[in-house]
Amino acid sequence: MRIVIGSDHAGYELKMKLIPVLKAIGAEVSDFGTDSGDVSCDYPDIALQVAKIVATGEAEKGILVCGSGIGMSIAANKVPGAYCALCRDISDAEMSRRHNNSNMLSIGGRTTDFSVAEEIVKTWLGTDFDGDRHVRRTQKIKAYEHSLSKSFGQKRGEIVIFDHPLVQHKVSIIRDVKTSVKEFRELVKEISSLMVYEITRDLPLEMIDVETPLTTTKAYALAGKKLAIVPILRAGIGMVDGIIDLIPNAKVGFIGLYRDPETLEPVEYYCKLPGDIEDREIFLLDPMLATGGSSAAAIDMIKKKGAKRVSLVCLIAAPEGVERVHQAHPDVNVYCASLDSHLNDHGYIVPGLGDAGDRLFGTK
């Protein structure tokens, strides 16, 4: 495990005592300063540098030390993808990992004895994230970060939740049991079209010359990126037209999977993908990400055909499904209109909207 550590002048002494502790437990430690406890420095300079290293995945964890720990934690938490917990005791350290999945730790060099700090660090590093209901809560923080920062969406293995008012309004309608098949089908298409704007955010552009009625000017065009959309049958078909309307040149593949009612595991019955799948960016369409088994299996199938970059596009997701997909495929972004509460005993998303296929096509 690579750990980056940093302090200001007030936290320098404690930082230097903690580095041998980290090395003793087998960590690879990178010290980002400061190099003296006698020369005053500004804590944001250190905190932001360390936080960026952690947020980009160049290091698994980060530790910051300043006089009280407060300033470092405030600064670090301004970096999207950095989740810095200010811990004063072992209980704080344990809960910040179990419930909050913190990837950075802040300690007060002038407020925390070394013996306590040592136990805080060991507890924090030795405690795993509980997952379960806490996944939903932490993912909502990430979704808000994404809405504020375009660059945050450029990484892989994220979940992106659409908080646009139009999307949320239409999702409320498709949840309603009184919504007709016709209206449900139209709304799924509309929501899918709205989601296209976000899932294609990082498509590359190239500069071209365009002649307007007045003059010739420079403009932007898509740089020939090859795209493919792959719905999981049958419910995924409902999302195809909404995306094709905006990306008409995308090729379309199909994957047929059904969920065994006893084991809840996916069973393959059909797979038809573009022949040049390895050259394309793939958007896998699965309206309901419940247990995650079907989506994870479909991604397996696509990757075995040579695909290198896959994103999963859903309407409604459960935390259990997101966790399963990211455990099996940590490089896959999951885009959804809502991250719901949990799965019930039958594997349905709660509150959800029922069976998307049944509601799209009026058949069971």
Side-chain angles (χ1 to χ4, degrees), residues 177-345:
V177 68
K178 298 186 294 294
T179 298
S180 68
V181 170
K182 176 180 180 294
E183 190 176 11
F184 189 94
R185 191 178 298 146
E186 291 171 347
L187 286 164
V188 168
K189 177 181 176 180
E190 292 170 5
I191 294 169
S192 301
S193 291
L194 290 169
M195 293 175 73
V196 168
Y197 289 103
E198 191 62 42
I199 65 178
T200 57
R201 176 185 289 278
D202 61 346
L203 292 182
L205 297 171
E206 62 183 0
M207 190 76 73
I208 62 172
D209 292 320
V210 173
E211 186 174 348
T212 78
L214 301 178
T215 185
T216 300
T217 186
K218 296 290 185 180
Y220 292 99
L222 290 177
K225 186 79 172 183
K226 293 184 176 181
L227 305 176
I229 59 175
V230 181
I232 297 179
L233 303 176
R234 61 181 169 151
I237 293 177
M239 301 175 69
V240 171
D241 286 347
I243 296 177
I244 284 292
D245 283 350
L246 294 182
I247 316 176
N249 290 326
K251 288 191 176 180
V252 182
F254 296 92
I255 288 180
L257 294 166
Y258 67 87
R259 189 169 60 170
D260 187 291
E262 300 296 329
T263 66
L264 302 183
E265 293 299 315
V267 179
E268 175 190 344
Y269 66 88
Y270 186 77
C271 181
K272 183 71 171 180
L273 300 174
D276 58 350
I277 195 74
E278 68 278 359
D279 297 325
R280 295 183 176 271
E281 178 159 359
I282 315 301
F283 298 131
L284 179 67
L285 310 182
D286 189 6
M288 307 297 287
L289 178 57
T291 63
S294 294
S295 293
I299 296 168
D300 277 335
M301 294 165 64
I302 293 171
K303 286 185 174 180
K304 286 178 182 177
K305 297 289 186 178
K308 299 177 178 64
R309 188 176 174 97
V310 183
S311 295
L312 175 62
V313 186
C314 312
L315 298 180
I316 310 292
E320 296 92 331
V322 174
E323 186 173 13
R324 181 166 180 177
V325 167
H326 278 163
Q327 283 179 347
H329 303 283
D331 60 323
V332 170
N333 281 348
V334 177
Y335 297 92
C336 65
S338 178
L339 183 65
D340 279 13
S341 175
H342 64 282
L343 297 179
N344 66 15
D345 293 339

Side-chain angles (χ1 to χ4, degrees), residues 345-358:
D345 293 339
H346 300 288
Y348 279 89
I349 302 173
V350 179
L353 50 77
D355 187 294
D358 291 348

